[in-house]
Amino acid sequence: MSSEAREVSEASKTSAKPSAMERIAAFIVDKRKAFYLLYIGFAVFCVFSSGWVKVNDDLTSYLPASTETRRGLTVMEEEFTTFGTNRIMVDNIAYSQAEKLAEEIRDVSGVKELNFENTEDYFKDGAALFSITYDGTSEDAVSLSALDKVKKILDGYDVYVTGDTGDDASASLNAEIQVVMIIAVVIILLVLLFTSQTYMEIPVMLLTFGMAAIMNKGTNFMFGEISFVSNSVAVILQLALAIDYAIILCHRYTEERERMNAHDACVIALSKAIPEIAGSSMTTLSGLGAMCFMKFGIGKDLGFVLMKAIVLSLLAVFTLMPGLLMSFSGLIDKTHHKNFVPKITAWGKFAVKTRFIMPPIFIVLIVAGAICSNLCPYAFGMTDLTTARKNESQIATERVNENFGKVNTLAVLVPTGDYEKEGRLLRELDQMEETDTVLGLANVEAMDGYVLTDKLTPRQFAELADLDIEVSRALYSAYAINGENYGQVVSGVDKYGVPLVDMFMFVYDEMQQGYVTLDEDMTKTIEDLHVQLSDALKQLKGENYSRLVLQLNLPEESRETTKFLNTLHETAAKYYGEGECLLVGNSTSDYDLSTSFAGDNLLIGILTIVFVVLVLIFTFKSSGLPILLILVIQGSVWINFSFPFLQNDPLFFLSYLVVSSIQMGANIDYAIVIANRYMELKKTMPLKKATIEALNQSFPTIITSGTILAAAGVLIGILSTNPAISSIGVCLGRGTLISILLVMGILPQILLLGDVIIEKTAITMKHKLSMQTMSGNMRVHGHMRGYVQGVVDGDFSGTIRGTVNAALETNAVQLEDEEVQTDETHD
């Protein structure tokens, strides 16, 4: 550093008292080693605590508690057991060989039931389908162990495994995201190498954001549970959304380092960067905050995780990065390189020349975008969505569905206790064209043509169970007494009808307690029946509800499906009354999501714009400029979500809610950068020249941040096999690229043409400044605009030795030299 620069630095220190922000910055830089220790300790803690958080793979759990699907799922979780299942297809196999495999699988410990027969439902075109039910739920060890044994039996065959058992979607998604992270880091390195001013600032930024990412992941346990969406994309989005903050501080440091020592440069750079970075982060936080108002709980989950990520990134940039810049200052000084980012003056001139051509085209585009995005075909389930890559489970599901068709299962929950009503309802449902199979206690055959819920008299039961009639009467009397139905005992039990399932379970309990003794054959029959009946009751009868299971021949999502759901409600209401029955399944979940989407979409759109507009009004002190900036970014959102309509490709609804918020909250920063530069530059140069120079000065920041965010989105979209995650990535990457194009290509022209609006809607009151020319030594404190061996425009406090030609506030100048020459005019 030159002696002249040091003198300037020393003079500035002695002539002006440090501001509060400078004192805070100096404390952070001076205590950097203490901050290092704090961060190291926190990082060690976060490495362990990151394993404490639970990841929820079920989107339906985030449905509002009032929705039918959520209420139904809660009932099923509390009252029913759902055994694990798999549909396993073995391709290129003869039927005889498939039969042998089926017998081997039936003998596997943990396999409760295997359905396979010589029909097109189970054997078709050389492919066999084994429908397996296990002894435990899909997550129980007994089911997973049985599946492993089944896979060993089928080893060597062309096998496709589908179903809820053994499908570890979280592990698969985490592996994919790790690959995305590695590639994203490589891309970020390349971008930073291209746009940085010194090579050693890159490790500083990576260390800063590596720490921020560790802290965010390690503090997610405070939420108890987060969604797989948040767990997957939070780190990548955190890096992409917050990299600007590190870039701003680095550039500030490089500027200050040219004229002062490393310590002072860090202090001054941080004191200047804190307000700038905090202001930039507010729009991003506003967009994310709007997501938290969604009725669909995934918005709050992702919003909170990402807001925390942004806050922790700010903390790392403000308290860790300054120390790192100071510690690496020597290497940073030695690794300066030429600026690889080109000037885009030619583009700026083109934008100026086409200022009357491009905005009208833009208006046409955003009107078309608004219309097309409003016609966007949304999907509320992931079954029919496609991704660029497919994992093993998706490929298997696709192959099985191609051969044997899709399975659309629906549960109907009805108040328990009236088997006759259940039976009549089941029979009516079974006659509907939309149902392939209907299952409930009231249509499960037990023995000799009787179903489980048929009421049998003592004589009928005696004949069925091959019992002496007196023994049967005694059992019925005991059953009546046990149920405190004493009237039946008094009046005689011969006409007393008891559901078969209840009597079999009662007889088994009596046998277990030694009150009833049957012959060996009947005892074995009762014991075998008990196992089957217990399983049936666990699945189909709860304390308050009975469950009817339907297999529909309808798509998961369609108008026909929605219409049939309404028909089911009407049919069930005939037997149980309005609102007494619940429908639960993928189709009902999709319907509930579509119902909540309309409200969430409107709410998020309004809140995002309102929050961002308030931040922009506070930032620019103008009501007109924020509207112009919002117009550009909202236009990019509409154009972005026109693509699904134009491509006739269903868009997962969550992608729209998440990406529209992030695009508005984060991409608006690009518009702010150009607007800030333009507003500053136009004070000292003509509007056209200010526009061109604003683009030149903004391009490095926008191309760095925009490229990283777009690359992160594209990578997620291409590499993730989860339809929800992939869809978010595709929309985010495409939306960011569109935002960059509009901000660089349309916004400068809008600012130029709308300058009159900006000036007339300024909130701050302007006052005339007197134009003065002075030479000599003077103390200046206040607002000044003009030339002081260069351009000065801002709140200045310090001593000037030289010539001033500037507009000054009254009493802003205190003369320190009696020989100062002055000449006053007016601006």
Side-chain angles (χ1 to χ4, degrees):
M1 186 177 183
S2 67
S3 60
E4 184 179 351
R6 289 193 183 92
E7 288 177 6
V8 173
S9 176
E10 293 300 322
S12 64
K13 287 193 290 184
T14 56
S15 63
K17 183 180 179 181
S19 65
M21 194 64 72
E22 288 174 347
R23 291 196 296 272
I24 293 171
F27 174 81
I28 293 171
V29 174
D30 293 340
K31 303 298 182 182
R32 58 188 177 278
K33 292 182 179 179
F35 280 107
Y36 291 164
L37 290 175
L38 286 174
Y39 275 105
I40 290 172
F42 199 20
V44 172
F45 169 78
C46 288
V47 167
F48 290 99
S49 63
S50 61
W52 300 348
V53 66
K54 296 180 181 178
V55 179
N56 188 342
D57 295 328
D58 183 14
L59 280 179
T60 60
S61 63
Y62 293 96
L63 282 167
S66 59
T67 59
E68 181 179 27
T69 301
R70 185 63 262 159
R71 288 185 291 132
L73 287 170
T74 301
V75 169
M76 291 206 300
E77 289 167 4
E78 293 174 350
E79 298 194 15
F80 300 98
T81 298
T82 302
F83 294 112
T85 59
N86 281 119
R87 296 174 83 208
I88 301 179
M89 187 181 84
V90 181
D91 206 359
N92 304 311
I93 190 173
Y95 180 77
S96 58
Q97 184 61 33
E99 268 192 320
K100 293 178 182 178
L101 291 175
E103 290 305 316
E104 288 186 59
I105 293 172
R106 285 191 180 98
D107 293 336
V108 169
S109 174
V111 172
K112 181 183 298 295
E113 183 181 7
L114 181 142
N115 292 325
F116 175 72
E117 55 191 46
N118 193 10
T119 65
E120 286 200 350
D121 290 337
Y122 294 97
F123 191 83
K124 182 180 179 183
D125 298 330
L129 180 66
F130 301 135
S131 182
I132 303 173
T133 303
Y134 300 101
D135 286 333
T137 65
S138 59
E139 298 177 354
D140 286 347
V142 63
S143 302
L144 298 174
S145 175
L147 176 59
D148 288 338
K149 294 172 185 175
V150 171
K151 287 181 177 179
K152 288 180 181 177
I153 293 173
L154 300 177
D155 188 31
Y157 291 91
D158 191 4
V159 179
Y160 299 92
V161 180
T162 70
D164 54 359
T165 305
D167 184 17
D168 194 350
S170 292
S172 175
L173 186 57
N174 286 335
E176 292 168 2
I177 294 301
Q178 287 176 9
V179 174
V180 172
M181 272 300 300
I182 293 171
I183 300 176
V185 169
V186 172
I187 290 176
I188 289 169
L189 279 172
L190 293 175
V191 172
L192 292 178
L193 283 171
F194 178 74
T195 59
S196 65
Q197 299 178 42
T198 171
Y199 293 120
M200 280 309 297
E201 72 184 35
I202 297 173
V204 171
M205 285 192 276
L206 292 180
L207 283 171
T208 302
F209 275 95
M211 179 60 69
I214 291 172
M215 290 193 300
N216 191 48
K217 194 170 182 64
T219 53
N220 282 334
F221 73 91
M222 63 193 294
F223 299 125
E225 180 182 83
I226 63 173
S227 71
F228 71 94
V229 177
S230 302
N231 189 57
S232 302
V233 302
V235 174
I236 299 173
L237 291 183
Q238 176 185 10
L239 184 59
L241 291 172
I243 194 71
D244 281 0
Y245 312 149
I247 294 172
I248 291 171
L249 181 55
C250 267
H251 286 178
R252 283 289 187 184
Y253 171 77
T254 302
E255 292 171 6
E256 301 300 333
R257 185 71 179 93
E258 291 177 359
R259 57 191 183 85
M260 58 182 66
N261 60 46
H263 177 274
D264 290 352
C266 283
V267 172
I268 299 301
L270 180 59
S271 65
K272 291 180 178 179
I274 287 176
E276 185 178 353
I277 293 171
S280 175
S281 68
M282 286 306 297
T283 54
T284 303
L285 289 171
S286 296
L288 297 174
M291 289 169 53
C292 298
F293 290 88
M294 286 170 55
K295 292 180 182 178
F296 186 41
I298 199 76
K300 184 182 294 184
D301 178 86
L302 184 58
F304 280 159
V305 171
L306 287 179
M307 288 174 71
K308 177 166 65 69
I310 297 300
V311 171
L312 291 174
S313 297
L314 290 172
L315 185 66
V317 168
F318 291 158
T319 59
L320 175 62
M321 192 172 178
L324 293 175
L325 287 172
M326 181 68 191
S327 299
F328 283 83
S329 59
L331 292 172
I332 291 173
D333 292 341
K334 293 177 182 178
T335 56
H336 276 274
H337 59 76
K338 70 174 185 177
N339 190 356
F340 298 122
V341 181
K343 292 283 186 180
I344 56 169
T345 304
W347 175 260
K349 291 179 178 178
F350 173 78
V352 170
K353 288 180 180 179
T354 59
R355 63 188 182 278
F356 297 112
I357 300 173
M358 298 305 294
I361 295 175
F362 171 64
I363 291 173
V364 172
L365 280 176
I366 62 172
V367 170
I371 295 171
C372 292
S373 63
N374 193 48
L375 298 174
C376 179
Y378 293 106
F380 298 92
M382 292 187 281
T383 303
D384 297 325
L385 295 177
T386 58
T387 54
R389 289 178 64 248
K390 292 183 176 66
N391 58 32
E392 186 177 333
S393 176
Q394 289 169 322
I395 293 171
T397 300
E398 204 172 75
R399 290 297 304 276
V400 172
N401 289 342
E402 285 175 1
N403 280 270
F404 296 100
K406 296 180 180 179
V407 174
N408 187 5
T409 304
L410 184 71
V412 182
L413 305 181
V414 300
T416 193
D418 193 330
Y419 292 137
E420 291 183 6
K421 280 185 182 179
E422 284 184 37
R424 293 199 302 272
L425 176 57
L426 281 168
R427 286 189 290 275
E428 185 168 350
L429 295 178
D430 197 29
Q431 292 172 2
M432 293 181 175
E433 294 180 356
E434 296 86 354
T435 59
D436 283 339
T437 63
V438 177
L439 176 66
L441 283 178
N443 69 351
V444 175
E445 187 174 341
M447 300 170 64
D448 297 348
Y450 289 113
V451 297
L452 290 177
T453 57
D454 281 343
K455 291 184 177 182
L456 273 65
T457 63
R459 183 169 296 280
Q460 289 172 317
F461 186 74
E463 293 172 354
L464 178 66
D466 196 20
L467 291 174
D468 182 81
I469 184 61
E470 295 303 324
V471 173
S472 181
R473 286 171 177 156
L475 286 172
Y476 269 68
S477 296
Y479 180 88
I481 293 171
N482 187 65
E484 298 183 355
N485 196 354
Y486 303 111
Q488 290 291 345
V489 179
V490 174
S491 62
V493 296
D494 283 345
K495 294 183 180 180
Y496 183 28
V498 177
L500 185 56
V501 62
D502 295 343
M503 183 52 67
F504 270 128
M505 296 300 289
F506 176 74
V507 171
Y508 178 81
D509 290 340
E510 296 295 293
M511 286 171 51
Q512 293 299 107
Q513 296 178 40
Y515 298 140
V516 174
T517 303
L518 302 175
D519 62 56
E520 186 176 342
D521 290 341
M522 196 61 211
T523 298
K524 188 171 188 318
T525 299
I526 295 293
E527 289 176 345
D528 290 342
L529 273 173
H530 177 263
V531 174
Q532 299 175 32
L533 294 177
S534 294
D535 290 343
L537 290 172
K538 287 178 183 177
Q539 296 179 83
L540 302 175
K541 183 180 180 181
E543 182 178 351
N544 302 299
Y545 286 90
S546 290
R547 179 163 63 174
L548 316 180
V549 181
L550 283 59
Q551 297 288 348
L552 308 183
N553 51 36
L554 294 170
E556 182 180 311
E557 281 187 84
S558 70
R559 291 182 180 178
E560 293 79 9
T561 306
T562 302
K563 183 178 179 181
F564 181 65
L565 294 179
N566 293 330
T567 300
L568 283 178
H569 276 297
E570 293 170 1
T571 304
K574 290 192 301 185
Y575 297 93
Y576 294 96
E578 194 72 32
E580 293 296 317
C581 302
L582 299 171
L583 306 184
V584 187
N586 288 341
S587 293
T588 61
S589 172
D590 298 345
Y591 176 76
D592 285 337
L593 289 172
S594 68
T595 302
S596 66
F597 170 72
D600 281 343
N601 185 20
L602 180 63
L603 180 66
I604 297 307
I606 293 173
L607 289 179
T608 301
I609 291 176
V610 169
F611 290 162
V612 171
V613 165
L614 289 175
V615 172
L616 293 179
I617 289 175
F618 178 79
T619 301
F620 289 106
K621 306 294 190 298
S622 168
S623 58
L625 182 56
I627 301 301
L628 298 178
L629 301 186
I630 291 288
L631 178 67
V632 174
I633 301 302
Q634 184 61 54
S636 72
V637 172
W638 283 331
I639 294 172
N640 184 20
F641 291 104
S642 296
F643 279 80
F645 168 72
L646 298 173
Q647 297 169 341
N648 194 26
D649 186 20
L651 172 69
F652 191 52
F653 79 103
L654 185 61
S655 306
Y656 182 86
L657 294 174
V658 171
V659 175
S660 60
S661 297
I662 292 177
Q663 194 174 345
M664 178 60 74
N667 291 172
I668 194 75
D669 281 353
Y670 310 154
I672 292 173
V673 170
I674 290 180
N676 262 325
R677 298 287 184 178
Y678 172 78
M679 295 297 288
E680 291 175 6
L681 292 169
K682 76 171 188 173
K683 295 175 182 177
T684 56
M685 59 180 68
L687 296 183
K688 294 179 183 178
K689 188 176 180 181
T691 302
I692 296 170
E693 188 57 28
L695 283 173
N696 266 329
Q697 293 183 13
S698 305
F699 181 63
T701 300
I702 294 173
I703 198 65
T704 303
S705 176
T707 301
I708 290 172
L709 184 56
V714 171
L715 282 173
I716 293 171
I718 293 175
L719 297 179
S720 177
T721 60
N722 182 283
I725 303 299
S726 176
S727 182
I728 289 173
V730 169
C731 293
L732 183 61
R734 184 177 61 218
T736 300
L737 291 174
I738 293 171
S739 296
I740 293 173
L741 289 174
L742 293 184
V743 164
M744 296 297 296
I746 300 297
L747 180 61
Q749 299 159 329
I750 290 178
L751 291 175
L752 196 56
L753 295 176
D755 189 75
V756 175
I757 298 174
I758 296 171
E759 290 297 321
K760 288 188 176 181
T761 56
I763 295 174
T764 53
M765 296 296 293
K766 293 186 175 182
H767 54 278
K768 283 189 173 292
L769 303 178
S770 60
M771 196 71 183
Q772 303 179 43
T773 300
M774 294 174 284
S775 299
N777 296 332
M778 62 206 81
R779 172 78 175 171
V780 180
H781 183 78
H783 191 81
M784 178 173 73
R785 188 179 78 190
Y787 294 89
V788 185
Q789 296 179 342
V791 178
V792 174
D793 184 2
D795 293 324
F796 185 84
S797 179
T799 300
I800 294 177
R801 299 182 182 89
T803 300
V804 172
N805 180 20
L808 297 165
E809 288 181 337
T810 305
N811 299 324
V813 180
Q814 297 176 2
L815 305 181
E816 295 185 351
D817 190 337
E818 293 180 359
E819 298 180 359
V820 171
Q821 301 295 318
T822 65
D823 181 23
E824 184 172 323
T825 58
H826 292 281
D827 186 13

